[in-house]
Amino acid sequence: MTQNTEWMLLLVQIPSEPSRHRVAVWRQLRRTGAVPVASGLWALPESPVFGPGLDRAEELCRAGDGTLAIFDARARDEQSEAVIRQVFTTARIDEWSEFTADCGKFDEEIAREIAKRKFTFAELEEEEQSLDRLRRWFRDLKKRDVLELPEAVVAEDRLRSCAAALDDYAERVYQAVHATGQTIGQTKGQTNETWSDAIGIDPEEPTR
């Protein structure tokens, strides 16, 4: 997105009590990607991608007997544009930094399991779930990345690295279980089914 961005200003007015309504609206606006610029005033770049999130925020405001007014705005000069852009950019960079930090934790976890030679089907499933969570998180962040920040490219590379690490770990798990003839029951409390049977691999075929 280029300079002189069209912005949306969101004016939130909602009774202070009960506080759960204010908290629900605050959480929804954060989840949508909006950033606070003053008390009760939030900002977002103009983009249809934010529409569903804003619709939900408006519903939550009405549920709390409040209102959400949305105004289209354009900065009068570059200095004014820089102020609001910096607020939004900082919020997105913080999110990408948190994401890449979690990618690092994922890589470290895989490395620990390899060092301990903990090659079990149960552990592999846990790591797959962790990677799925990172993928969902990345998709959510990417939707809000309308300024196309370089941090998003770094984050995507880190996610690919996590996927490669999991592929390597999965191969090690297969080799270890295949070599010992370990059953699913030995790792997951089941019986009479090998790990290769469970995932549809013919044990007579060579691995990748």
Side-chain angles (χ1 to χ4, degrees):
M1 186 172 288
T2 60
Q3 299 294 322
N4 298 320
T5 303
E6 293 281 357
W7 294 87
M8 294 181 288
L9 296 181
L10 321 173
L11 180 60
V12 178
Q13 295 179 310
I14 189 168
S16 58
E17 296 295 337
S19 62
R20 68 177 183 275
H21 295 298
R22 295 175 66 89
V23 172
V25 173
W26 176 81
R27 291 181 63 189
Q28 178 60 32
L29 289 174
R30 288 280 189 181
R31 189 178 298 117
T32 302
V35 292
V37 293
S39 179
L41 187 65
W42 299 67
L44 271 174
E46 172 62 44
S47 174
V49 72
F50 299 120
L54 292 179
D55 289 343
R56 177 57 180 159
E58 189 172 10
E59 291 175 4
L60 293 171
C61 279
R62 288 199 301 268
D65 293 326
T67 59
L68 173 62
I70 303 176
F71 304 90
D72 294 329
R74 179 185 287 272
R76 296 185 64 180
D77 52 51
E78 291 184 3
Q79 184 176 0
S80 299
E81 165 77 13
V83 170
I84 192 168
R85 176 180 285 270
Q86 183 59 44
V87 174
F88 185 81
T89 299
T90 298
R92 300 289 78 80
I93 290 176
D94 287 346
E95 289 178 338
W96 284 125
S97 296
E98 184 178 358
F99 175 82
T100 54
D102 269 32
C103 286
K105 293 176 183 178
F106 179 87
D107 285 338
E108 291 171 0
E109 174 67 18
I110 292 290
R112 281 195 296 270
E113 301 307 332
I114 291 175
K116 293 186 295 185
R117 302 190 63 79
K118 188 177 180 181
F119 301 131
T120 66
F121 184 71
E123 185 62 35
L124 176 59
E125 281 196 324
E126 288 184 15
E127 300 303 344
E128 287 174 337
Q129 292 170 6
S130 295
L131 183 61
D132 286 343
R133 181 186 69 84
L134 287 173
R135 285 171 169 156
R136 291 192 301 270
W137 188 5
F138 178 84
R139 288 194 295 268
D140 288 341
L141 295 182
K142 190 63 177 176
K143 290 178 184 177
R144 302 198 284 269
D145 185 41
V146 295
L147 299 185
E148 300 177 353
L149 300 175
E151 286 78 7
V153 177
V154 174
E156 187 170 8
D157 288 342
R158 291 303 305 272
L159 183 59
R160 287 198 185 99
S161 174
C162 290
L166 183 62
D167 284 345
D168 176 68
Y169 180 69
E171 181 71 18
R172 293 169 186 263
V173 170
Y174 172 72
Q175 293 290 352
V177 176
H178 181 70
T180 61
Q182 189 178 31
T183 65
I184 293 291
Q186 290 174 303
T187 58
K188 300 202 69 180
Q190 301 172 352
T191 58
N192 302 325
E193 186 177 20
T194 66
W195 185 83
S196 55
D197 290 335
I199 62 174
I201 295 177
D202 185 346
E204 298 304 321
E205 291 185 355
T207 59
R208 294 189 291 110

